[in-house]
């Protein structure tokens, strides 16, 4: 029996309606930007396996670091104990994070990184005896699938079944070009009307919404408003972190830095699940007390897993090489050239590029639903043609591993261009 058939006996997949979905493709091997299925068909991974894999599949350098760590100290509890990989990773990260970030807290995935940030925002005011219990978040935001992260998320079909069970969130429009004033006004109104603890956002790019982009100037303006009103700011860099925008972090484009950052996805180069939430000294000090009740009572069993830390250190080393920085610049240039080529296509309504992220919207009569027919048609077209791309409604985006070759990129662009023709 094929792996695909055996899978169907026992496995439940994410974001999948098993009655109507096609069977899962069984991948047996990966190298660079390529993946092979059990029938030896090859695919170009044009979305870095949900944005986690900048340096290519089965990366030898990271694998060696993992092996070395596994055979030295695979894991130790992080309550009452520490270890060098966690310390070195924190030191290395703080060197490149916005300079106001001083403390590193570990968890296991993007949702929990967000969960931690939200709990810190709420408890920070609780510890001070202030009642601030509302969050502000953007429309169409995606912050993850755990409860507080879902509450902050605005893409309705992810969260519809749970409406009414969430912490209080006020949703405001994204300051996309031309809508900035609307967005600023909504932010100010929300702060005036509610006891707001924090504002959470995906800086510059809303990934799951279909790579919706807005300017650093607009975000700067909004963070300044929050600062003036003692509203904490949380940058969810789970998608944007580690080079995707062309800089290490999307926040590197800002003048005013947020109070917290959430990191995961590319943190370990796509090898081991791990996440980090980072904080200013002021936030840490809000929990620093003789009173045990003021501590942050949050932790996961595998917090700061040494093997994950070793993978993250190796990933950071790779990210900082000239070779990788050149790859990022090269992919960016290729995207710009493709954008220029495709943007006037009669079936394309808009295009956008930031760093290694490319997105285009196909002109449609009606509002396309996230997992609608057009999306499915496109998805299957790409799979048939050996390209892994997951369109969002009428939006096709590319976010490849940085090491993707020019030849592979060319194939991806050709597939995108052909796909637009068939729909
Ligand atoms: C993917 C994502 C998350 C959730 O991360 P998981 O590891 O899937 O829990 C949160 N925020 C953003 C911006 C993301 O892209």
């Amino acid at each position: 029996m094929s792996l695909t058939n055996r899978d169907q006996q026992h496995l439940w997949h994410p974001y999948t309606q098993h009655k109507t979905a096609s069977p899962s493709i069984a991948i047996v091997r990966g190298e660079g930007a390529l993946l092979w299925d059990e029938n030896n068909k090859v695919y170009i991974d044009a979305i870095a396996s949900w944005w986690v894999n900048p340096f290519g599949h089965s990366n030898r350098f990271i694998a060696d670091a993992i092996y070395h760590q596994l055979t030295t100290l695979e894991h130790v509890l992080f309550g009452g104990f520490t270890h060098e990989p966690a310390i070195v990773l924190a030191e290395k990260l703080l060197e490149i994070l916005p300079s106001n970030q001083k403390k590193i807290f570990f968890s296991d995935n993007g949702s929990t990184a967000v969960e931690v940030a939200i709990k810190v925002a709420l408890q920070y005011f609780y510890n001070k005896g202030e009642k601030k219990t509302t969050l502000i978040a953007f429309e169409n935001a995606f912050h993850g699938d755990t409860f507080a992260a879902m509450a902050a998320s605005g893409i309705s079909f992810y969260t519809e079944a749970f409406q009414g069970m969430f912490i209080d969130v006020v949703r405001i429009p994204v300051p996309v070009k031309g809508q900035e004033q609307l967005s600023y006004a909504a932010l100010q109104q929300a702060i005036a009307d509610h006891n707001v603890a924090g504002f959470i956002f995906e800086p510059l790019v809303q990934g799951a919404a279909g790579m919706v982009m807005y300017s650093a100037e607009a975000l700067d303006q909004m963070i300044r408003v929050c600062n003036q009103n003692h509203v904490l700011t949380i940058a969810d860099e789970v998608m944007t972190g580690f080079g995707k925008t062309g800089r290490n972090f999307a926040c590197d484009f800002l003048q005013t830095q947020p109070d917290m950052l959430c990191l995961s996805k590319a943190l370990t180069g796509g090898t081991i699940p791990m996440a980090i939430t980072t904080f200013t000294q002021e936030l840490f000090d809000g929990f620093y007390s003789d009173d045990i009740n003021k501590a942050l009572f949050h932790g996961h069993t595998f917090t700061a897993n040494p093997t994950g830390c070793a993978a993250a250190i190796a990933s950071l080393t790779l990210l900082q090489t000239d070779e990788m920085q050149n790859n990022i610049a090269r992919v960016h240039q290729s995207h710009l050239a493709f954008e220029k080529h495709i943007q006037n296509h009669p079936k394309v309504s808009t295009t956008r590029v930031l760093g290694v992220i490319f997105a285009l919207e196909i002109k449609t009569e009606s509002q396309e639903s996230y997992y609608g027919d057009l999306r499915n048609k496109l998805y299957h077209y790409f799979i048939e043609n050996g390209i892994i791309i997951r369109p969002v409604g009428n939006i096709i985006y590319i976010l490849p591993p940085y090491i993707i070759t020019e030849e592979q990129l060319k194939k991806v662009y050709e597939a995108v261009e052909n796909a637009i023709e068939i729909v």
Side-chain angles (χ1 to χ4, degrees):
M1 220 195 304
S2 69
L3 291 172
T4 289
N5 289 341
R6 282 162 61 196
D7 170 280
Q8 287 180 307
Q9 319 265 315
H10 304 298
L11 296 174
W12 193 341
H13 286 261
Y15 309 123
T16 301
Q17 173 48 270
H18 279 277
K19 187 164 183 189
T20 53
S22 10
S24 298
I25 297 162
I27 298 296
V28 294
R29 192 162 70 83
E31 194 186 318
L34 300 179
L35 292 166
W36 284 264
D37 75 10
E38 63 180 324
N39 303 314
N40 215 26
K41 176 171 172 177
V42 62
Y43 300 84
I44 299 173
D45 183 356
I47 55 167
S49 280
W50 266 343
W51 324 333
V52 299
N53 193 314
F55 314 121
H57 290 281
S58 312
N59 183 284
R60 210 38 213 254
F61 183 73
I62 304 175
D64 285 344
I66 289 172
Y67 181 78
H68 176 75
Q69 189 57 46
L70 273 177
T71 47
T72 308
L73 171 68
E74 84 302 342
H75 184 66
V76 64
L77 69 165
F78 211 56
F81 295 86
T82 193
H83 50 78
E84 194 174 7
I87 295 163
V88 170
L89 175 55
E91 289 167 352
K92 280 186 176 293
L93 255 185
L94 288 169
E95 270 172 31
I96 59 167
L97 279 166
S99 60
N100 68 341
Q101 297 301 301
K102 301 292 184 204
K103 296 285 173 184
I104 300 284
F105 189 94
F106 285 97
S107 63
D108 306 333
N109 58 74
S111 305
T112 52
V114 166
E115 207 78 16
V116 169
I118 290 175
K119 284 173 75 173
V120 164
L122 297 174
Q123 193 183 338
Y124 175 78
F125 291 110
Y126 175 86
N127 281 358
K128 292 210 293 183
E130 291 178 39
K131 191 175 159 42
K132 292 199 179 191
T133 54
T134 301
L135 290 181
I136 298 172
F138 279 137
E139 284 167 3
N140 289 323
F142 181 75
H143 295 293
D145 293 338
T146 55
F147 255 81
M150 263 201 297
S153 298
I155 302 175
S156 61
F157 63 81
Y158 282 94
T159 58
E160 206 169 86
F162 311 102
Q163 289 303 326
M165 306 176 206
F166 291 137
I167 56 168
D168 296 334
V169 175
V170 178
R171 214 161 291 292
I172 63 171
V174 187
V176 291
K177 211 173 165 97
Q179 298 234 18
E180 293 93 340
Q181 297 307 324
L182 202 72
S183 189
Y184 303 158
L187 176 69
Q188 260 150 343
Q189 194 66 44
I191 294 172
D193 291 350
H194 302 271
N195 292 320
V196 178
F199 168 40
I200 183 167
F201 49 85
E202 295 156 271
L204 309 194
V205 192
Q206 293 187 298
M211 303 298 160
V212 171
M213 297 180 189
Y214 61 96
S215 76
E217 291 71 31
L219 186 54
D220 260 319
Q221 170 75 15
M222 298 178 88
I223 294 175
R224 277 196 295 271
V225 169
C226 288
N227 287 348
Q228 286 156 9
N229 290 281
H230 308 288
V231 168
L232 296 170
T233 49
I234 304 168
D236 178 354
E237 293 240 16
V238 169
M239 190 283 283
T240 48
F242 305 105
K244 310 260 178 57
T245 62
R247 301 200 186 167
N248 287 333
F249 304 102
C251 287
D252 293 339
F253 289 88
L254 298 174
Q255 307 288 327
T256 315
Q257 291 303 333
D259 298 303
M260 303 177 232
L261 269 77
C262 305
L263 305 170
S264 185
K265 294 219 161 96
L267 172 63
T268 64
T271 57
I272 292 181
M274 172 166 266
I276 284 175
T277 315
T278 74
F279 302 97
T280 59
Q281 188 66 38
E282 190 190 337
L283 278 169
F284 180 80
D285 291 345
F287 291 70
Y288 192 77
S289 162
D290 291 320
D291 182 357
I292 177 93
N293 292 310
K294 291 196 170 169
L296 177 60
F297 277 97
H298 185 105
H300 298 282
T301 313
F302 276 95
T303 295
N305 170 248
T307 312
C309 291
I313 294 166
S315 296
L316 271 184
T317 304
L318 287 178
L319 178 66
Q320 291 174 306
T321 59
D322 287 345
E323 187 190 345
M324 207 56 71
Q325 292 300 317
N326 290 340
N327 278 330
I328 293 172
R330 170 180 59 82
V331 172
H332 179 65
Q333 287 307 322
S334 299
H335 281 351
L336 289 178
F338 180 56
E339 179 181 45
K340 208 168 163 199
H341 168 73
I342 202 84
Q343 64 192 354
N344 294 323
H345 190 289
K347 285 189 177 168
V348 172
S349 64
T350 61
T351 57
R352 42 190 181 263
V353 173
L354 182 68
V356 303
I357 306 167
F358 169 91
L360 68 74
E361 293 192 28
I362 297 175
K363 268 186 202 155
T364 51
E365 304 282 292
S366 56
Q367 182 78 19
E368 278 299 324
S369 83
Y370 207 87
Y371 280 110
D373 290 343
L374 174 63
R375 180 265 174 205
N376 290 340
K377 204 168 161 193
L378 290 167
Y379 175 76
H380 291 293
Y381 177 83
F382 289 125
I383 289 296
E384 258 167 47
N385 287 279
I387 312 274
I388 300 178
I389 285 182
R390 287 173 65 95
V392 174
N394 64 326
I395 300 166
I396 299 175
Y397 74 82
I398 308 169
L399 199 172
Y402 309 158
I403 50 74
I404 191 169
T405 65
E406 279 306 296
E407 198 187 331
Q408 290 162 346
L409 257 184
K410 203 162 154 255
K411 281 189 190 158
V412 173
Y413 296 144
E414 277 167 12
V416 169
E417 196 166 352
N418 293 337
I420 309 174
E421 290 301 337
I422 60 123
V423 293

